[in-house]
């Protein structure tokens, strides 16, 4: 079963910006550069990727839709973001026609899919040929020098912050565990390429965030 984000929706933004020291905003900003036309943000949560899309140079020409499984997250997105369309729906069964979007974005969402390949397949199904899919995902850093600090921070400090600030140690213990289990780098690129797309990876901030760009031919 998918992790239920309804329970942490209220504190999600505050925790996110605090845990990443605001870097999450920079990562999203990076991900939306150069996107145009009809854009679908999958697992949109409280709408922060849509916020960044609507801040780009091409914002006026964008038509943005955000979808998420969690009603609470979507409710916050609707209150927070002016513009954009929102839908509570499962990424693994998208209610859109084939090839209906110029670009797809997904920030910190795919790690939570129950059936990863099904979700990616759906995202690529609704992407137009020639379109771009940009995925941001958290990962463990490769460097043995950075790793001990990362482990201390994610395994001990983040769960403590989750308990103190969001009242949920469980949600913020799930986070580092799910990051450790999730495929990264070459492994994730191989999963994308099996879907028949060209894919590249860019490591952001010592590789604690990865940006995967897939192009559909
Ligand atoms: C860590 S949050 C990321 C939210 C947002 N994209 C961001 O940048 O902050 C993960 C989101 O994925 C959503 N999610 C998980 N599985 C999903 C699925 N199968 N379909 C749609 N949304 C899903 C959750 O409800 C949650 O809002």
């Amino acid at each position: 079963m998918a992790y239920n984000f309804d329970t942490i929706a209220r504190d999600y933004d505050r925790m996110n910006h605090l845990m990443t020291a605001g870097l999450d905003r920079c990562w999203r900003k990076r991900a939306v550069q150069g996107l145009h036309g009809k854009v679908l943000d999958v697992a949109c949560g409280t709408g922060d990727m849509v916020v960044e899309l609507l801040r780009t140079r091409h914002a006026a020409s964008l038509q943005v839709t955000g979808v998420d499984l969690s009603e609470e997250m979507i409710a916050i997105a609707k209150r927070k973001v002016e513009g954009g369309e929102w839908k509570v729906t499962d990424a693994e069964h998208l209610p859109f026609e084939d090839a209906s979007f110029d670009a797809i974005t997904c920030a910190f969402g795919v790690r939570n899919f129950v059936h990863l390949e099904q979700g990616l397949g759906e995202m690529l199904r609704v992407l137009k040929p020639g379109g771009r899919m940009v995925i941001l995902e958290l990962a463990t850093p490769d460097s043995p020098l950075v790793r001990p600090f990362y482990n201390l921070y994610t395994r001990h400090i983040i769960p403590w912050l989750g308990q103190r600030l969001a009242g949920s140690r469980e949600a913020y213990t799930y986070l580092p565990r799910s990051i450790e289990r999730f495929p990264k780098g070459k492994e994730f690129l191989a999963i994308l390429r099996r879907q028949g797309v060209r894919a590249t990876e860019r490591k952001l901030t010592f590789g604690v965030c990865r940006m995967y760009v897939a192009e559909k031919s």
Side-chain angles (χ1 to χ4, degrees), residues 18-76:
L18 184 77
M19 280 182 319
T20 65
L23 284 168
D24 61 314
R25 291 196 181 105
C26 306
W27 298 332
R28 289 192 199 87
K29 210 182 282 286
R30 195 72 180 267
V32 299
Q33 293 312 310
L35 302 184
H36 58 83
K38 268 185 87 179
V39 184
L40 177 67
D41 183 40
V42 174
C44 64
T46 59
D48 278 357
M49 195 67 141
V50 175
V51 168
E52 292 306 336
L53 279 160
L54 296 176
R55 277 185 183 150
T56 59
R57 274 194 299 142
H58 309 290
S61 65
L62 291 179
Q63 197 183 327
V64 186
T65 305
V67 297
D68 199 283
L69 207 51
S70 158
E71 283 184 28
E72 290 298 320
M73 298 289 262
I74 288 273
I76 294 171

Side-chain angles (χ1 to χ4, degrees), residues 5 12 16 28 43-45 68-70 73 89-91 107-108 112:
F5 279 79
Y12 178 81
N16 228 5
R28 289 192 199 87
C44 64
D68 199 283
L69 207 51
S70 158
M73 298 289 262
T89 196
D90 187 348
F108 321 118
N112 301 290

